[in-house]
Amino acid sequence: MVYSHIQDVLLGKFKEGETVNLRGWVYLTRDLGNLYFLVLRDATGLLQTVIRKSNTEPELLEKIKQISQETAVSLNGKIKKDERAPGGYEIEINNLNILGLSRDYPLSKKSHGVEFLLNHRHLWLRSPRQRDILKIRESVTWYAREFFRREGFTEVHPPMLTPSMVEGGATLFELKYFDRNAYLTQSSQLYLEALIFSLEKVWCLAPSFRAEKSRTRRHLTEYWHLEAEEAFYSNEDNMKLQEKLVSYICKKVAEKNREELETFQVRPERLLKIKPPFKRMKYQEAIDKLQRKGFDVKYGDDFGADEEEALTKDMETPLFITNYPLEIKAFYMKEDPNNPGTALCADLLLPEGYGEVIGGSERETNYEVLVKRIEETGQPIENYKWYLDLRKYGSVQHSGFGLGLERLIMWLLKLSHIREAVPFPRTPSRIYP
Amino acid sequence: MVYSHIQDVLLGKFKEGETVNLRGWVYLTRDLGNLYFLVLRDATGLLQTVIRKSNTEPELLEKIKQISQETAVSLNGKIKKDERAPGGYEIEINNLNILGLSRDYPLSKKSHGVEFLLNHRHLWLRSPRQRDILKIRESVTWYAREFFRREGFTEVHPPMLTPSMVEGGATLFELKYFDRNAYLTQSSQLYLEALIFSLEKVWCLAPSFRAEKSRTRRHLTEYWHLEAEEAFYSNEDNMKLQEKLVSYICKKVAEKNREELETFQVRPERLLKIKPPFKRMKYQEAIDKLQRKGFDVKYGDDFGADEEEALTKDMETPLFITNYPLEIKAFYMKEDPNNPGTALCADLLLPEGYGEVIGGSERETNYEVLVKRIEETGQPIENYKWYLDLRKYGSVQHSGFGLGLERLIMWLLKLSHIREAVPFPRTPSRIYP
């Protein structure tokens, strides 16, 4: 038996009156006396099907009675154009088989509390809205890959289990690794830095972990981290690369995912506005701006969610904040020779107040300076023995960045919480299902 | 300044006598009196460059003296065809700048012990052989993605942190997750099964973890697991999909990576032989064959590395072993109605004795049968509450499989140990660098 997809019908690939075989899950049922409507759901969409009871064999009517939400069925029917039907097509059912029954499906069409939905995430993912998020997520990763391939990058797979910490111990997940301890990676950057000496330009998309208690709309304990590292790139080159990447993804998604974007009331024009060059602002200017807005911040403070939101609330395009004070940024960032005391770095803030999505910088390449910077963090220098080797044997200028995939998706689709941007979200209070 | 890549020169993109700018790392140096040779390495290859001392400014000669293996340089020179030079081209250096010095690079051209190399993995990755492995690895993942996209699959990102175990507790990494325990995933299968009810056909490439002490040539504690799950697929459909996937990857790599394959003395013909349909053998036949070969195995035993090797040592194409006894396979496998007591499953063994690369099966879809099977494992049924929901609400026939990416690469390149197939290998005794 050859089965078609709902999308094939909706795209008009069949003629009116033709017969198709479809299968999927029943999204909703409606009994209007002689007419029985059954909306079918498959991976590609929703389609209205109908049975005229007076025309129907008792055997089929018996089956129909057993169907409730999420029953799996296969069916055979005739295609009918019908302007009143959502999508413009309807199927008149000839025959139907029940593949798997469903009784008392816990997620009805009425609205549920967030905790209830998250406890049923394995079922909630079936909803057309969640499906659309998953499709957009795939698009974003596909176009990121396409972009990096065109730019001459090699995709690599860094390790998740690491012997030492990178961004400070407070937010590390620790585990027993046979007769020693290990940590879950917080960033693959140091490993990517090793790989540029082989491949020059590398990138990865891999999980990263943060044992942060912060229960904000924008934090996950496990997230997918898109990281890139580029030999011979200055911080300026690095920022241009980020602009191109983010713009490329926005353009492609705007072109290729119009249908999914509609679900979220996102007009493609909103994404097509995202074009290089992005606006830039020095950290000092950002502090001044925030003070003028009445924020209680001073030079040397890091930005919280509220500050980040305020900085781009009224913007329609992303904003780079550059030249953070060295002491509030990671040890591996290079000092800006033209602005001493600040780093050759940039955080990219999303428009409309969505906050940071990328952190990037040029890396310190000098062995002695780097040793000093590590010592200042109070961490044992032995933890960085192999990393320091990269500065001993043919050190070269290089830069890199890390992008939080879920944060980008959250902004793309105007999600109010990051947990919808990943199939099975992990937060301090949630690791189920 | 515009820099070219070594590959551009080797592919003849420039005319003889043209001047190019190159940069990279010095792979080796040779002093032949008046002629000084310096082999440059970049992400794309090796190229011989030469300086005629008698023609050269003293300042440049001073720089040359400082150069040793892995010094980073940029240089400018004239292209010369030279049949004696490896690759057929040579560069006559006009000018050279040292970007980063290198003293006493620990990896010389002479052979080192494996432990020494692994302790210096961050540097070892620079060798042309390791670079080629990384390039092949990227190709394999790229073509796998291309394949799944063409077949209508959606790529998804399953969680690494899980609340319960899937394949038995003995090989689980456990960690503290705030005020409870969590486990590192051993397989994303159960999550993929949830996702087929939304997307029908899904796949992922993500880390999986096994806390196995087994110190074999084929085991890593952290590996990249390519998993797929397909709604409405029988075990037969599933096997056909695997055949197509593996053949597609082999064909593409044979076509696109000829140069890298040469490093490993792999002829493209070896890979082009891999075509559907693959040979098949029932578990019972495999036991018989092994007994005839003198192995001390009986029905109900699982195969170890030696048995797997013996089964395909003389084969040039992969072999499916089907119908394993239910009791030695995972609880979620469906019983074969035509061969009671055995599972609708198949393990795919690589040719030439390289052992298992894929495990796959049709999944049990009946709620009551599945509950019974879980109970037989002795695990608490509560651990599978959400998973069992998938059988309560519109259960459908489905199948899936998991492929060990590093095992496939190991066979592709005839590596003698799996540790070379991943940039930073993790084994029971190794988590550094």
Side-chain angles (χ1 to χ4, degrees), chain A residues 60-107:
Chain A
L60 179 50
L61 287 178
E62 265 317 297
K63 284 187 199 163
I64 294 288
K65 274 190 202 157
Q66 296 179 59
I67 291 176
S68 73
Q69 197 188 348
E70 288 305 313
T71 298
V73 298
S74 65
L75 58 84
N76 168 285
K78 208 189 285 180
I79 293 178
K80 223 186 102 188
K81 276 201 175 167
D82 189 332
E83 302 232 323
R84 293 161 306 173
Y89 288 91
E90 192 178 77
I91 304 287
E92 287 186 346
I93 296 179
N94 298 328
N95 208 348
L96 177 147
N97 285 308
I98 292 176
L99 304 175
L101 282 170
S102 171
R103 293 250 173 283
D104 307 319
Y105 186 66
L107 303 183

Short mmCIF file of all heavy atoms in Angstrom, two decimals, chain A residues 60-107:
data_model
loop_
_atom_site.label_atom_id
_atom_site.label_comp_id
_atom_site.label_asym_id
_atom_site.label_seq_id
_atom_site.Cartn_x
_atom_site.Cartn_y
_atom_site.Cartn_z
N LEU A 60 -17.97 0.19 9.45
CA LEU A 60 -17.13 1.38 9.52
C LEU A 60 -17.63 2.33 10.61
O LEU A 60 -16.84 2.91 11.36
CB LEU A 60 -17.09 2.07 8.14
CG LEU A 60 -16.27 3.36 8.03
CD1 LEU A 60 -14.87 3.19 8.58
CD2 LEU A 60 -16.18 3.80 6.56
N LEU A 61 -18.95 2.42 10.72
CA LEU A 61 -19.51 3.30 11.76
C LEU A 61 -19.11 2.82 13.15
O LEU A 61 -18.87 3.61 14.06
CB LEU A 61 -21.04 3.35 11.64
CG LEU A 61 -21.56 4.17 10.44
CD1 LEU A 61 -23.08 4.11 10.38
CD2 LEU A 61 -21.10 5.63 10.54
N GLU A 62 -19.05 1.48 13.30
CA GLU A 62 -18.60 0.90 14.58
C GLU A 62 -17.18 1.36 14.92
O GLU A 62 -16.87 1.71 16.05
CB GLU A 62 -18.64 -0.63 14.51
CG GLU A 62 -19.89 -1.25 15.04
CD GLU A 62 -20.37 -0.62 16.33
OE1 GLU A 62 -19.63 -0.70 17.34
OE2 GLU A 62 -21.48 -0.02 16.35
N LYS A 63 -16.32 1.34 13.90
CA LYS A 63 -14.93 1.78 14.09
C LYS A 63 -14.88 3.25 14.50
O LYS A 63 -14.16 3.63 15.42
CB LYS A 63 -14.12 1.60 12.81
CG LYS A 63 -13.72 0.16 12.50
CD LYS A 63 -12.78 0.16 11.30
CE LYS A 63 -12.71 -1.22 10.65
NZ LYS A 63 -12.15 -1.14 9.30
N ILE A 64 -15.67 4.04 13.78
CA ILE A 64 -15.67 5.49 14.02
C ILE A 64 -16.01 5.79 15.48
O ILE A 64 -15.41 6.67 16.10
CB ILE A 64 -16.71 6.17 13.09
CG1 ILE A 64 -16.28 6.04 11.63
CG2 ILE A 64 -16.92 7.62 13.47
CD1 ILE A 64 -15.11 6.87 11.22
N LYS A 65 -16.94 5.00 16.02
CA LYS A 65 -17.36 5.21 17.41
C LYS A 65 -16.21 5.06 18.40
O LYS A 65 -16.22 5.63 19.48
CB LYS A 65 -18.45 4.20 17.78
CG LYS A 65 -19.85 4.65 17.41
CD LYS A 65 -20.86 3.69 18.05
CE LYS A 65 -22.18 3.77 17.28
NZ LYS A 65 -22.98 2.55 17.47
N GLN A 66 -15.23 4.24 18.02
CA GLN A 66 -14.12 3.96 18.95
C GLN A 66 -13.04 5.04 18.92
O GLN A 66 -12.13 5.03 19.75
CB GLN A 66 -13.46 2.63 18.58
CG GLN A 66 -14.35 1.43 18.71
CD GLN A 66 -13.58 0.18 18.29
OE1 GLN A 66 -12.55 -0.15 18.86
NE2 GLN A 66 -14.07 -0.49 17.27
N ILE A 67 -13.15 5.91 17.93
CA ILE A 67 -12.06 6.87 17.73
C ILE A 67 -12.19 8.06 18.67
O ILE A 67 -13.23 8.69 18.75
CB ILE A 67 -12.07 7.36 16.26
CG1 ILE A 67 -11.64 6.22 15.35
CG2 ILE A 67 -11.14 8.56 16.08
CD1 ILE A 67 -11.70 6.55 13.88
N SER A 68 -11.10 8.35 19.36
CA SER A 68 -11.03 9.63 20.07
C SER A 68 -9.66 10.24 19.80
O SER A 68 -8.85 9.65 19.08
CB SER A 68 -11.30 9.45 21.56
OG SER A 68 -10.19 8.84 22.16
N GLN A 69 -9.41 11.39 20.39
CA GLN A 69 -8.17 12.15 20.10
C GLN A 69 -6.93 11.27 20.20
O GLN A 69 -6.76 10.53 21.15
CB GLN A 69 -8.07 13.32 21.09
CG GLN A 69 -7.09 14.38 20.62
CD GLN A 69 -6.85 15.44 21.70
OE1 GLN A 69 -7.57 15.49 22.69
NE2 GLN A 69 -5.83 16.26 21.50
N GLU A 70 -6.05 11.36 19.19
CA GLU A 70 -4.76 10.65 19.11
C GLU A 70 -4.87 9.18 18.77
O GLU A 70 -3.87 8.46 18.81
CB GLU A 70 -3.90 10.87 20.36
CG GLU A 70 -3.32 12.27 20.46
CD GLU A 70 -2.52 12.71 19.23
OE1 GLU A 70 -1.68 11.92 18.76
OE2 GLU A 70 -2.74 13.83 18.72
N THR A 71 -6.04 8.72 18.41
CA THR A 71 -6.14 7.37 17.84
C THR A 71 -5.36 7.36 16.52
O THR A 71 -5.46 8.29 15.73
CB THR A 71 -7.62 7.00 17.59
OG1 THR A 71 -8.29 7.00 18.84
CG2 THR A 71 -7.75 5.64 16.92
N ALA A 72 -4.57 6.31 16.32
CA ALA A 72 -3.81 6.19 15.08
C ALA A 72 -4.67 5.44 14.06
O ALA A 72 -5.21 4.38 14.37
CB ALA A 72 -2.51 5.44 15.31
N VAL A 73 -4.78 6.00 12.86
CA VAL A 73 -5.62 5.38 11.83
C VAL A 73 -4.92 5.42 10.47
O VAL A 73 -4.05 6.24 10.22
CB VAL A 73 -6.98 6.12 11.68
CG1 VAL A 73 -7.78 6.07 12.97
CG2 VAL A 73 -6.77 7.57 11.24
N SER A 74 -5.33 4.48 9.62
CA SER A 74 -5.02 4.63 8.19
C SER A 74 -6.36 4.74 7.49
O SER A 74 -7.35 4.14 7.94
CB SER A 74 -4.20 3.45 7.68
OG SER A 74 -4.96 2.27 7.74
N LEU A 75 -6.41 5.51 6.43
CA LEU A 75 -7.70 5.67 5.76
C LEU A 75 -7.51 5.87 4.27
O LEU A 75 -6.43 6.21 3.80
CB LEU A 75 -8.52 6.80 6.37
CG LEU A 75 -7.94 8.21 6.40
CD1 LEU A 75 -8.18 8.92 5.07
CD2 LEU A 75 -8.59 9.01 7.52
N ASN A 76 -8.61 5.62 3.58
CA ASN A 76 -8.63 5.72 2.14
C ASN A 76 -9.84 6.58 1.79
O ASN A 76 -10.91 6.40 2.35
CB ASN A 76 -8.78 4.28 1.60
CG ASN A 76 -9.09 4.25 0.14
OD1 ASN A 76 -10.23 4.54 -0.26
ND2 ASN A 76 -8.11 3.90 -0.66
N GLY A 77 -9.62 7.56 0.92
CA GLY A 77 -10.77 8.43 0.61
C GLY A 77 -10.56 9.25 -0.63
O GLY A 77 -9.49 9.24 -1.24
N LYS A 78 -11.62 9.94 -0.98
CA LYS A 78 -11.66 10.70 -2.23
C LYS A 78 -11.41 12.18 -1.93
O LYS A 78 -11.96 12.74 -0.99
CB LYS A 78 -13.05 10.54 -2.85
CG LYS A 78 -13.04 10.67 -4.36
CD LYS A 78 -14.44 10.72 -4.92
CE LYS A 78 -15.13 9.34 -4.93
NZ LYS A 78 -16.51 9.44 -5.48
N ILE A 79 -10.58 12.79 -2.76
CA ILE A 79 -10.23 14.19 -2.55
C ILE A 79 -11.33 15.11 -3.07
O ILE A 79 -11.82 14.94 -4.18
CB ILE A 79 -8.90 14.53 -3.25
CG1 ILE A 79 -7.78 13.77 -2.55
CG2 ILE A 79 -8.63 16.02 -3.24
CD1 ILE A 79 -6.44 13.97 -3.17
N LYS A 80 -11.68 16.09 -2.23
CA LYS A 80 -12.71 17.06 -2.59
C LYS A 80 -12.19 18.44 -2.27
O LYS A 80 -11.68 18.67 -1.16
CB LYS A 80 -13.95 16.77 -1.72
CG LYS A 80 -15.27 16.84 -2.46
CD LYS A 80 -16.43 16.68 -1.51
CE LYS A 80 -17.07 18.03 -1.19
NZ LYS A 80 -18.08 17.96 -0.13
N LYS A 81 -12.26 19.34 -3.24
CA LYS A 81 -11.95 20.74 -2.92
C LYS A 81 -13.11 21.29 -2.12
O LYS A 81 -14.27 21.08 -2.48
CB LYS A 81 -11.78 21.55 -4.21
CG LYS A 81 -10.39 21.45 -4.78
CD LYS A 81 -10.10 22.61 -5.72
CE LYS A 81 -8.64 22.52 -6.16
NZ LYS A 81 -8.35 23.41 -7.28
N ASP A 82 -12.81 21.97 -1.04
CA ASP A 82 -13.87 22.56 -0.24
C ASP A 82 -13.34 23.82 0.42
O ASP A 82 -12.51 23.76 1.33
CB ASP A 82 -14.38 21.56 0.80
CG ASP A 82 -15.64 22.08 1.50
OD1 ASP A 82 -15.80 23.32 1.60
OD2 ASP A 82 -16.45 21.25 1.91
N GLU A 83 -13.84 24.93 -0.03
CA GLU A 83 -13.32 26.21 0.48
C GLU A 83 -13.54 26.36 1.98
O GLU A 83 -12.81 27.08 2.65
CB GLU A 83 -13.99 27.38 -0.26
CG GLU A 83 -13.79 27.32 -1.76
CD GLU A 83 -13.23 28.62 -2.32
OE1 GLU A 83 -13.63 29.69 -1.83
OE2 GLU A 83 -12.38 28.54 -3.23
N ARG A 84 -14.59 25.70 2.49
CA ARG A 84 -14.88 25.86 3.92
C ARG A 84 -13.91 25.06 4.78
O ARG A 84 -13.73 25.33 5.95
CB ARG A 84 -16.31 25.39 4.22
CG ARG A 84 -17.39 26.28 3.60
CD ARG A 84 -18.69 25.53 3.53
NE ARG A 84 -18.52 24.24 2.84
CZ ARG A 84 -19.45 23.30 2.74
NH1 ARG A 84 -20.63 23.47 3.32
NH2 ARG A 84 -19.21 22.19 2.08
N ALA A 85 -13.29 24.05 4.19
CA ALA A 85 -12.36 23.21 4.97
C ALA A 85 -11.03 23.96 5.16
O ALA A 85 -10.57 24.62 4.23
CB ALA A 85 -12.10 21.90 4.25
N PRO A 86 -10.43 23.84 6.35
CA PRO A 86 -9.13 24.48 6.55
C PRO A 86 -8.13 23.86 5.57
O PRO A 86 -8.08 22.64 5.44
CB PRO A 86 -8.76 24.12 7.99
CG PRO A 86 -9.96 23.47 8.60
CD PRO A 86 -10.85 23.01 7.50
N GLY A 87 -7.41 24.69 4.84
CA GLY A 87 -6.46 24.17 3.85
C GLY A 87 -7.08 24.01 2.47
O GLY A 87 -6.39 23.81 1.49
N GLY A 88 -8.45 24.07 2.42
CA GLY A 88 -9.12 24.06 1.12
C GLY A 88 -9.43 22.68 0.57
O GLY A 88 -10.00 22.56 -0.51
N TYR A 89 -9.04 21.63 1.27
CA TYR A 89 -9.32 20.27 0.80
C TYR A 89 -9.99 19.45 1.92
O TYR A 89 -9.78 19.70 3.10
CB TYR A 89 -8.05 19.55 0.36
CG TYR A 89 -7.49 20.06 -0.94
CD1 TYR A 89 -6.55 21.08 -0.95
CD2 TYR A 89 -7.91 19.51 -2.16
CE1 TYR A 89 -6.03 21.56 -2.15
CE2 TYR A 89 -7.39 19.97 -3.36
CZ TYR A 89 -6.46 21.00 -3.35
OH TYR A 89 -5.96 21.46 -4.53
N GLU A 90 -10.73 18.47 1.48
CA GLU A 90 -11.40 17.57 2.42
C GLU A 90 -11.32 16.17 1.82
O GLU A 90 -11.23 16.03 0.60
CB GLU A 90 -12.85 18.00 2.54
CG GLU A 90 -13.62 17.37 3.67
CD GLU A 90 -15.05 17.91 3.72
OE1 GLU A 90 -15.87 17.46 2.88
OE2 GLU A 90 -15.33 18.76 4.57
N ILE A 91 -11.32 15.17 2.65
CA ILE A 91 -11.31 13.78 2.16
C ILE A 91 -12.63 13.11 2.54
O ILE A 91 -13.01 13.15 3.71
CB ILE A 91 -10.14 12.98 2.80
CG1 ILE A 91 -8.80 13.65 2.56
CG2 ILE A 91 -10.14 11.52 2.30
CD1 ILE A 91 -8.28 13.55 1.15
N GLU A 92 -13.29 12.52 1.57
CA GLU A 92 -14.48 11.71 1.89
C GLU A 92 -14.02 10.27 2.10
O GLU A 92 -13.55 9.62 1.17
CB GLU A 92 -15.48 11.76 0.73
CG GLU A 92 -16.19 13.10 0.64
CD GLU A 92 -17.29 13.08 -0.43
OE1 GLU A 92 -17.31 12.14 -1.24
OE2 GLU A 92 -18.11 14.01 -0.43
N ILE A 93 -14.17 9.82 3.31
CA ILE A 93 -13.61 8.52 3.69
C ILE A 93 -14.37 7.36 3.04
O ILE A 93 -15.59 7.28 3.14
CB ILE A 93 -13.61 8.34 5.23
CG1 ILE A 93 -12.69 9.39 5.87
CG2 ILE A 93 -13.19 6.93 5.62
CD1 ILE A 93 -12.65 9.32 7.38
N ASN A 94 -13.62 6.47 2.35
CA ASN A 94 -14.20 5.21 1.87
C ASN A 94 -14.02 4.11 2.90
O ASN A 94 -14.88 3.30 3.12
CB ASN A 94 -13.49 4.73 0.59
CG ASN A 94 -13.65 5.71 -0.54
OD1 ASN A 94 -14.66 6.39 -0.63
ND2 ASN A 94 -12.64 5.79 -1.39
N ASN A 95 -12.83 4.11 3.45
CA ASN A 95 -12.49 3.04 4.38
C ASN A 95 -11.50 3.55 5.42
O ASN A 95 -10.75 4.49 5.14
CB ASN A 95 -11.89 1.86 3.61
CG ASN A 95 -12.16 0.56 4.33
OD1 ASN A 95 -12.59 0.57 5.49
ND2 ASN A 95 -11.91 -0.55 3.67
N LEU A 96 -11.49 2.91 6.56
CA LEU A 96 -10.62 3.37 7.65
C LEU A 96 -10.23 2.19 8.52
O LEU A 96 -11.05 1.30 8.77
CB LEU A 96 -11.39 4.43 8.46
CG LEU A 96 -10.72 5.01 9.71
CD1 LEU A 96 -11.15 6.46 9.90
CD2 LEU A 96 -11.03 4.19 10.95
N ASN A 97 -8.98 2.15 8.93
CA ASN A 97 -8.53 1.14 9.88
C ASN A 97 -7.92 1.79 11.11
O ASN A 97 -7.20 2.77 11.00
CB ASN A 97 -7.47 0.24 9.24
CG ASN A 97 -8.10 -0.74 8.28
OD1 ASN A 97 -9.04 -1.44 8.63
ND2 ASN A 97 -7.60 -0.73 7.05
N ILE A 98 -8.24 1.22 12.24
CA ILE A 98 -7.64 1.72 13.48
C ILE A 98 -6.31 1.01 13.70
O ILE A 98 -6.26 -0.22 13.74
CB ILE A 98 -8.59 1.49 14.67
CG1 ILE A 98 -9.82 2.39 14.50
CG2 ILE A 98 -7.88 1.77 15.99
CD1 ILE A 98 -10.88 2.21 15.55
N LEU A 99 -5.24 1.78 13.80
CA LEU A 99 -3.91 1.19 14.01
C LEU A 99 -3.59 1.10 15.49
O LEU A 99 -2.96 0.15 15.94
CB LEU A 99 -2.84 2.05 13.31
CG LEU A 99 -3.04 2.30 11.81
CD1 LEU A 99 -1.99 3.27 11.28
CD2 LEU A 99 -2.97 0.98 11.05
N GLY A 100 -4.01 2.11 16.23
CA GLY A 100 -3.74 2.10 17.67
C GLY A 100 -4.76 2.99 18.35
O GLY A 100 -4.92 4.15 17.99
N LEU A 101 -5.47 2.42 19.32
CA LEU A 101 -6.51 3.20 20.01
C LEU A 101 -5.89 4.22 20.95
O LEU A 101 -4.71 4.14 21.29
CB LEU A 101 -7.43 2.26 20.78
CG LEU A 101 -8.46 1.52 19.92
CD1 LEU A 101 -9.15 0.44 20.75
CD2 LEU A 101 -9.48 2.52 19.36
N SER A 102 -6.70 5.15 21.37
CA SER A 102 -6.28 6.15 22.34
C SER A 102 -7.48 6.46 23.22
O SER A 102 -8.54 6.80 22.71
CB SER A 102 -5.81 7.41 21.61
OG SER A 102 -5.60 8.47 22.51
N ARG A 103 -7.31 6.31 24.50
CA ARG A 103 -8.42 6.59 25.43
C ARG A 103 -7.96 7.68 26.39
O ARG A 103 -6.86 7.60 26.94
CB ARG A 103 -8.72 5.36 26.28
CG ARG A 103 -9.27 4.19 25.57
CD ARG A 103 -10.75 3.95 25.92
NE ARG A 103 -11.28 2.89 25.06
CZ ARG A 103 -11.62 3.06 23.78
NH1 ARG A 103 -11.53 4.26 23.21
NH2 ARG A 103 -12.06 2.05 23.06
N ASP A 104 -8.83 8.67 26.57
CA ASP A 104 -8.56 9.70 27.58
C ASP A 104 -7.20 10.34 27.42
O ASP A 104 -6.41 10.43 28.38
CB ASP A 104 -8.68 9.11 29.00
CG ASP A 104 -10.00 8.40 29.21
OD1 ASP A 104 -11.01 8.93 28.75
OD2 ASP A 104 -9.99 7.30 29.82
N TYR A 105 -6.91 10.77 26.21
CA TYR A 105 -5.64 11.48 25.96
C TYR A 105 -5.57 12.68 26.90
O TYR A 105 -6.50 13.48 26.96
CB TYR A 105 -5.62 11.94 24.49
CG TYR A 105 -4.31 12.55 24.05
CD1 TYR A 105 -3.16 11.78 24.00
CD2 TYR A 105 -4.24 13.90 23.70
CE1 TYR A 105 -1.96 12.34 23.58
CE2 TYR A 105 -3.05 14.47 23.27
CZ TYR A 105 -1.91 13.68 23.22
OH TYR A 105 -0.73 14.24 22.81
N PRO A 106 -4.48 12.79 27.65
CA PRO A 106 -4.47 13.79 28.73
C PRO A 106 -4.43 15.24 28.25
O PRO A 106 -4.81 16.13 29.00
CB PRO A 106 -3.20 13.45 29.53
CG PRO A 106 -2.47 12.41 28.79
CD PRO A 106 -3.32 11.91 27.67
N LEU A 107 -3.95 15.48 27.02
CA LEU A 107 -3.86 16.87 26.56
C LEU A 107 -5.05 17.19 25.66
O LEU A 107 -5.10 16.76 24.52
CB LEU A 107 -2.57 17.09 25.77
CG LEU A 107 -1.27 16.76 26.50
CD1 LEU A 107 -0.07 17.11 25.62
CD2 LEU A 107 -1.17 17.49 27.83
#
